[in-house]
């Protein structure tokens, strides 16, 4: 099990080692110490490995992630998991702005709160925030699921295309073209699955959430294409 | 601690650096922080002034800055003496307890030049600059001080600073630069002069200042933080039983004592946070 102390090893060395990993690597468990808020820790990893980071990370941690499971014991700076493709990122503390921005896939779980613009332009990622999210979250969201156990700030889902926004608490205000929707059975099945993948075992019910999504008035939406979403 | 924070932030703002330290002081005396714009020596200023004004004054020279501590009663004559005899001198800051130092150069070097690590006080505010709106000069470095014991640092850019500057200049505020951040400092001084608290002054800036910003403002008794309504610029706070700290990002805070146990959080947009030393 490789251990990398970022107080000693430069970040570029760590990231280079992670980038070299082959799909069948035996070094499947990495321990990263002393992250000290450094930016771009474990970005661009494309291997089925688990990376444990002990402490607070800076900007863009786990960006562009594919396959890897990244666990951070502390807080995350701006853009955690931005543009991630697959795999899983778990932040035990809070996340700063733009968590999961433009994410295409995979799962991002934040145990604490996420600040402004959580899930901005999300494109298929699933994001679960156990606390609350800040203003302007899911701005121009295109696909995926944003699940919030706490509250959402102002202008949730502004200019949203297609994505499901599940909020259990209150929503300060909805952005342009974002409306509350009656969840279908399919929506509830999807939400239950996301909650399960985020580690819940039935203690949170999908029925406690309200669903928000696109009113589809801001773009040329053709109902014939709905199966594409 | 502030010295360490600024050194870490050198790569965020490598142009110049500055800091205000709120140290000792009493109501009978005033501290003037002076700098020569043309680089003339400052070591004879205290002696000459003391001789001609007939009052003893304390002087402390740190690199390019001179701090004079003088009886409040002779503040006005002292300022007049400076304007007459040393027009090259700029008043960097003034107040009961505040000393303010700023200089062009790599923050870690600037901090060393002024020996910030040796200074003490109840609170301090530092800034590392990457200039966008105006020239890289010592005048353009932060913090900006436009009132007694008041200073401001700013990350961002204001779009209506010219019109606000005209309004404030009309009301008698003096400007040293074309810098947008100086306008923000002067705006708050103007509001506080009208009787507003620091919280009230910042609250009204939400309406009157247009642009994006995170402000940190120091006063004699404490400091306050405000982010613009869409939180364009980063900010992170740490709170413990012993101290409150602010940084643009967590990296600035990593060397603070007991940071692992601190409550670390991001200030909400358009919300004034203020701390007072009691």
């Amino acid at each position: 099990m490789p251990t990398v102390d970022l107080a000693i090893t430069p970040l570029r060395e760590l990231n280079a080692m992670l980038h070299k990993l082959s799909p069948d690597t035996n070094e499947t468990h990495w321990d990263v110490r002393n992250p000290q808020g450094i930016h771009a820790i474990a970005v661009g990893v494309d291997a089925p490995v688990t990376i444990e980071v002990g402490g607070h990370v800076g900007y863009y941690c786990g960006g562009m992630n594919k396959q890897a499971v990244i666990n951070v014991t502390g807080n995350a700076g701006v853009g955690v998991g931005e543009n991630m493709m697959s795999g899983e990122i778990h932040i035990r503390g809070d996340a700063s702005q733009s968590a999961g921005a433009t994410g295409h896939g995979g799962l991002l779980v934040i145990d604490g709160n996420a600040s402004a613009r959580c899930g901005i332009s999300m494109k298929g990622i699933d994001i679960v925030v156990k606390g609350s999210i800040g203003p302007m979250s899911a701005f121009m969201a295109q696909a995926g699921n944003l699940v919030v156990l706490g509250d959402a700030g102002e202008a949730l889902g502004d200019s949203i295309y297609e994505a499901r926004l599940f909020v259990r608490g209150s929503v300060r205000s909805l952005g342009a073209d974002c409306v509350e929707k009656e969840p279908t059975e399919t929506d509830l099945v999807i939400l239950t699955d996301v909650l399960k993948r985020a580690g819940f075992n039935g203690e949170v019910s999908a029925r406690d959430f309200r669903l928000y999504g696109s009113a589809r008035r801001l773009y040329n939406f053709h109902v014939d294409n709905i199966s594409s979403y | 601690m502030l010295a360490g924070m600024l050194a870490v932030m050198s790569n965020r703002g490598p142009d110049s650096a500055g800091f205000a330290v709120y140290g000792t002081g009493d109501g009978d005396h005033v501290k003037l922080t002076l700098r020569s714009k043309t680089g003339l020596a400052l070591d004879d200023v205290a002696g000459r002034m003391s001789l001609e004004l007939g009052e003893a004054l304390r002087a402390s020279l740190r690199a390019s800055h001179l701090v004079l501590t003088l009886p409040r009663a002779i503040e006005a004559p002292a300022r007049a003496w400076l304007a007459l005899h040393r027009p090259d001198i700029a008043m960097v800051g003034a107040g009961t307890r505040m000393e303010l130092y700023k200089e062009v150069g790599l923050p870690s070097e600037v901090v060393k030049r002024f020996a910030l690590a040796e200074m003490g006080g109840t609170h301090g505010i530092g800034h590392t600059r990457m200039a966008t709106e105006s020239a890289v000069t010592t005048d353009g470095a932060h913090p900006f001080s436009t009132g007694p014991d008041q200073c401001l640092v700013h990350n961002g850019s204001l779009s209506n600073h010219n019109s606000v500057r005209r309004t404030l200049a009309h009301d008698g505020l003096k400007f040293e630069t074309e810098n947008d951040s100086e306008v923000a400092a002067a705006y708050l001084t103007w509001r506080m002069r009208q009787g507003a608290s620091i919280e009230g002054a910042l609250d009204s800036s939400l309406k009157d200042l247009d642009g994006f910003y995170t402000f940190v403002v120091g006063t004699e008794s404490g400091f306050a933080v405000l982010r613009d309504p869409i939180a364009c610029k980063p900010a992170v706070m740490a709170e413990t039983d012993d101290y409150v700290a602010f940084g643009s990002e967590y990296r600035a805070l990593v060397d603070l004592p007991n940071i692992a146990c601190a409550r670390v959080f991001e200030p909400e947009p358009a919300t004034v946070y203020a701390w007072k030393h009691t």
Side-chain angles (χ1 to χ4, degrees):
Chain A
M1 183 172 91
T3 298
V4 178
D5 186 344
L6 286 175
I8 300 163
T9 309
L11 173 76
R12 278 170 193 268
E13 261 178 51
L14 165 69
N15 283 347
M17 287 189 276
L18 293 170
H19 294 164
K20 272 194 208 134
L21 295 173
S22 60
D24 56 353
T25 178
N26 287 325
E27 291 178 336
T28 55
H29 199 107
W30 289 69
D31 215 353
V32 177
R33 305 215 174 129
N34 286 314
Q36 308 263 62
I38 295 175
H39 300 175
I41 291 174
V43 293
V45 180
D46 184 5
V49 298
T50 298
I51 302 164
E52 306 281 353
V53 185
H56 301 312
V57 296
Y59 293 10
Y60 313 124
C61 176
M64 300 176 282
N65 184 51
K66 266 183 173 173
Q67 305 188 66
V69 173
I70 301 172
N71 295 315
V72 176
T73 60
N75 299 334
V78 173
V80 60
E82 58 105 28
N83 213 59
M84 71 187 268
M85 307 302 285
S86 63
E88 208 178 302
I89 298 178
H90 189 165
I91 306 297
R92 304 254 174 225
D94 296 330
S96 179
Q97 301 191 21
S98 305
T102 76
H104 288 251
L107 175 69
L108 169 63
V109 179
I110 295 155
D111 286 357
N113 302 316
S115 68
R117 293 176 268 273
C118 178
I120 180 172
S121 195
M122 53 193 280
K123 296 176 169 70
I125 188 176
D126 292 325
I127 303 174
V128 177
V129 181
K130 295 184 186 171
S132 297
I133 58 172
M136 289 159 288
S137 289
F139 176 66
M140 292 186 91
Q142 290 145 58
N145 301 290
L146 172 62
V147 180
V148 182
L149 274 66
D151 305 328
E154 286 175 347
L156 176 69
D158 193 281
S159 307
I160 184 172
Y161 290 79
E162 296 299 319
R164 290 179 199 82
L165 315 179
F166 297 102
V167 182
R168 193 167 67 161
S170 66
V171 173
R172 184 86 59 91
S173 67
L174 292 173
D177 212 33
C178 185
V179 291
E180 184 172 355
K181 296 180 168 188
E182 193 56 45
T184 63
E185 277 311 308
T186 313
D187 294 327
L188 292 174
V189 168
I190 288 168
L191 174 55
T192 304
D193 172 62
V194 174
L195 286 169
K196 203 171 161 198
R197 284 194 288 130
F200 290 106
N201 263 323
E203 60 270 49
V204 177
S205 165
R207 296 198 180 273
D208 292 343
F209 290 79
R210 295 167 86 161
L211 171 65
Y212 304 88
S214 177
R216 300 169 180 160
R217 287 175 305 221
L218 275 186
Y219 66 103
N220 295 316
F221 179 79
H222 296 289
V223 79
D224 297 350
N225 296 333
I226 193 151
S227 60
S228 318
Y229 296 103
Chain B
M1 288 193 293
L2 190 57
M5 293 169 76
L6 290 176
V8 172
M9 288 294 99
S10 286
N11 62 358
R12 257 193 109 97
D15 297 347
S16 38
F19 51 89
V21 175
Y22 293 82
T24 52
D26 62 72
D28 298 333
H29 290 80
V30 61
K31 282 181 176 182
L32 306 178
T33 308
L34 311 175
R35 176 180 73 82
S36 169
K37 286 188 198 177
T38 53
L40 285 178
L42 297 170
D43 36 18
D44 64 333
V45 173
R48 282 179 58 199
M49 194 192 273
S50 170
L51 209 61
E52 292 183 32
L53 297 180
E55 280 277 2
L57 35 96
R58 283 199 306 277
S60 132
L61 189 65
R62 277 178 194 270
S64 56
H65 286 44
L66 176 72
V67 177
L68 291 181
T69 306
L70 40 97
R72 196 170 286 277
I74 63 157
E75 182 184 352
R79 282 176 183 260
W81 186 91
L82 284 167
L84 184 68
H85 297 282
R86 290 297 299 265
D88 61 301
I89 285 180
M91 185 84 59
V92 189
T96 307
R97 297 205 292 127
M98 184 184 73
E99 296 176 18
L100 205 160
Y101 303 86
K102 54 189 184 179
E103 199 67 271
V104 173
L106 201 63
S108 46
E109 298 295 321
V110 173
V111 157
K112 247 184 255 162
R113 231 178 282 158
F114 290 121
L116 169 59
E118 292 164 16
M119 299 184 201
T122 51
H123 55 297
I125 293 175
H127 185 267
T128 68
R129 180 168 189 233
M130 191 186 74
T132 55
E133 298 290 301
S134 64
V136 178
T137 60
T138 301
D139 277 338
H142 301 218
F144 285 100
S145 180
T146 49
D149 283 314
Q150 295 166 12
C151 76
L152 168 139
V153 299
H154 171 210
N155 179 10
S157 163
L158 301 176
S159 44
N160 65 339
H161 62 99
N162 280 329
S163 58
V164 177
R165 188 185 292 109
R166 278 193 295 274
T167 310
L168 297 178
H170 185 262
D171 272 10
L173 282 122
K174 298 256 181 301
F175 293 87
E176 302 286 333
T177 71
E178 293 296 305
N179 189 286
D180 57 334
S181 311
E182 189 185 17
V183 174
Y187 174 85
L188 297 175
T189 298
W190 179 63
R191 282 292 185 202
M192 286 190 270
R193 228 184 246 177
Q194 293 167 342
S197 62
I198 180 64
E199 292 95 327
L202 282 167
D203 244 341
S204 51
S205 77
L206 283 165
K207 183 167 61 67
D208 293 334
L209 298 180
D210 185 24
F212 52 96
Y213 50 83
T214 293
F215 294 136
V216 180
V217 186
T219 64
E220 200 263 330
S221 57
F223 80 106
V225 173
L226 174 68
R227 301 174 79 187
D228 68 58
I230 61 167
C232 256
K233 289 291 174 181
V236 58
M237 307 279 325
E239 232 178 352
T240 70
D241 288 344
D242 298 321
Y243 65 84
V244 184
F246 169 94
S248 279
E249 56 173 297
Y250 179 73
R251 277 191 309 141
L253 311 177
V254 289
D255 292 325
L256 296 181
N258 254 332
I259 188 70
C261 310
R263 186 173 83 91
V264 177
F265 66 99
E266 288 191 10
E268 297 272 334
T271 307
V272 177
Y273 294 77
W275 286 268
K276 250 196 179 135
H277 213 271
T278 47

